[in-house]
Amino acid sequence: MPKSITIHAPDDWHLHLRDGDVLKGLVAHTAERFKRAIVMPNLVPPITSVEMAAEYLDRILAVVPDNSDFEPLMTLYLTDNTTAQTVFNAHQSCFVKAFKLYPAGATTNSDAGVSDIKKCYPAIAEMQKLGVPLLIHGEITDADIDIFEREQVFIERVLKPLCEDFPELKIVFEHITTSFAVDFVNSTSHPIAATITAHHLLMNRNHMLVGGIRPHYYCLPVLKHQQHQQALIKAATSGSEKFFLGTDSAPHAQNKKETACGCAGMYTSHAAIELYAEAFERADKLENLEAFSSLNGAKFYGLPVNSEKLTLVRESWDVPEYYQFGTNEADNTSSHRLIPLFAGEQINWKINGN
Ligand code: DOR
Ligand code: ZN
């Protein structure tokens, strides 16, 4: 096993940074590891216009650490009412890189999401025309569909027809969780790629449910059977250009996770690239970490590969029990604590210099 690995600086192609006083700490963790990140628009209210994205971008840039040249790449939230003109404006802006489709009710802050994809066809046609990628949270939300089958049914009922109707539309199938998604992405000639999270590579639903229910392992799409985990590991570590890194790191305060009805989302930005290194090492495929983390996403988005390098060393460190969530350091209660993935446990890879 190598003791260190040096790769082109990686990018996170799916990230939740939130807003307000929690922004600074979250940006710091990501900027330490990644050169760029695709920033999700599911704020309250959602980021639906170029003007809102410009203001949000300013708030993020204001808290980027001085020693970092981290670049946020913005997205707009697709709604039933998004117009072709908004897509045109986004494309013109240069800093908005994509639109995000949340089926209404699928996850955190998705109430304003899409109720019927046909309502978005004029906007999607414009995306296809201009080459603007559509990022998709691929889950059916119908009450009669089992939560573990939401992704599989989405492929049949929504994604396949969408690909047929828009054969040139660039699509990122976000945070895939099943072999059905892997097989679909691998088998189609459509310009579609998929992001895979570190937590779906490292865990399956047993980790969440055996021996007690672990709210910090609850996210959407929910962790699946270990056979699906194996399919994701194979896809991510294969070197295929169709798969790339997207953490879906999704912070919520401790009190919003450890409650009778907990929020969905795992926080992984404190150790994101280190966790991917762990997953690739377990698969004995560290040689393909760079393609997944630093090359494939940039190619899909038509952006240059980062010239900077990042070195990871195989050295254990202890994950803190919690991070301060927000800037009010006097308040140490659970509403101001962020529990990171593997809190209190050891991680085997470390960024050189940390
Ligand atoms: O677990 C999740 N959390 N999945 C999502 O799709 C959204 C995210 C969030 O924003 O908290
Ligand atoms: Zn997400």
Side-chain angles (χ1 to χ4, degrees), residues 14 16 18 42 100 102 106-109 137 139 175 199 218-221 248-252 263-266:
H14 184 130
H16 298 271
R18 314 302 191 205
N42 63 330
K100 177 68 189 275
Y102 289 102
T107 187
T108 308
N109 302 337
H137 182 116
E139 290 196 287
H175 44 50
H199 45 280
Y218 173 63
C219 65
L220 288 170
D248 196 19
S249 179
H252 295 275
C263 292
M266 291 193 213

Side-chain angles (χ1 to χ4, degrees), residues 11 13 36 244 294-306:
D11 303 300
W13 299 102
R36 297 172 291 207
F244 48 83
S294 318
L295 309 181
N296 299 347
K299 186 163 184 194
F300 183 87
Y301 277 86
L303 295 168
V305 169
N306 299 315

Side-chain angles (χ1 to χ4, degrees), residues 303-321:
L303 295 168
V305 169
N306 299 315
S307 53
E308 299 87 344
K309 296 281 174 93
L310 180 88
T311 297
L312 290 154
V313 289
R314 204 179 187 296
E315 209 179 292
S316 301
W317 57 286
D318 296 320
V319 179
E321 293 289 348

